[in-house]
Amino acid sequence: MLQVVWTEDRGIVLRNDPPSPFLLAVNHDRLEAAVAQPSAGFGDFECYPSLFEKAAVLARGLICDHCFTDGNKRTGMVAAAIFLGVNGYRFRPPWEKVVELARLIAIKRLTVAHIAQVIERYSEPLDRPPQQLRFPGFPPD
């Protein structure tokens, strides 16, 4: 089972216990591209300037690019929620809305702007400052 765990000393950790071959990235280039999309731009121009647009394009990239053998929709929605959490927001839609949103993203029925509107509608500010996103062992020493 995949668990997303926050630890003060290591940041966000994905725990895959017991290990599952279904959660392996099958296309690392697509995974890198999906994760890089929120910061896309050139010079001072950002393609996705709002936090909600960044979360939307991250979810869309992970869902539509099929980086994994299984679990692309779940991974995309969890990644967007974690991204928002790290940046000071809690994503709290009804479960049915998460399933519907992930399905509509997967069949490419929504634009990034529409996905961002839905994410913003179901997001609320946290009572704490944003956390720094840290990954253990990265960047390498």
Side-chain angles (χ1 to χ4, degrees):
M1 177 167 76
L2 183 66
Q3 298 175 326
V4 180
V5 181
W6 173 263
T7 63
E8 288 298 322
D9 59 324
R10 294 174 57 204
I12 293 174
V13 178
L14 295 178
R15 219 179 263 156
N16 188 13
D17 189 21
S20 169
F22 299 108
L23 294 172
L24 299 176
V26 294
N27 190 318
H28 293 279
D29 292 335
R30 286 183 182 176
L31 178 59
E32 280 187 34
V35 172
Q37 284 181 25
S39 60
F42 51 92
D44 290 336
F45 176 78
E46 290 185 73
C47 293
Y48 309 102
S50 82
L51 181 68
F52 303 106
E53 288 172 311
K54 292 178 189 311
V57 77
L58 175 63
R60 186 192 66 176
L62 290 169
I63 291 170
C64 293
D65 289 350
H66 300 283
C67 309
F68 305 99
T69 54
D70 189 35
N72 292 289
K73 290 188 286 292
R74 287 175 296 223
T75 302
M77 297 310 294
V78 168
I82 291 171
F83 177 82
L84 291 167
V86 166
N87 286 287
Y89 282 85
R90 178 177 289 123
F91 184 50
R92 297 188 55 125
W95 178 248
E96 299 79 29
K97 194 65 171 177
V98 174
V99 173
E100 176 188 3
L101 182 59
R103 185 184 66 76
L104 290 173
I105 293 170
I107 62 174
K108 300 179 181 173
R109 291 281 173 98
L110 303 176
T111 64
V112 170
H114 189 195
I115 299 165
Q117 287 174 346
V118 173
I119 289 173
E120 186 172 8
R121 183 178 314 131
Y122 291 104
S123 295
E124 58 190 33
L126 292 171
D127 295 333
R128 61 163 176 74
Q131 301 291 316
Q132 181 181 358
L133 184 58
R134 298 175 293 170
F135 294 96
F138 187 84
D141 296 329

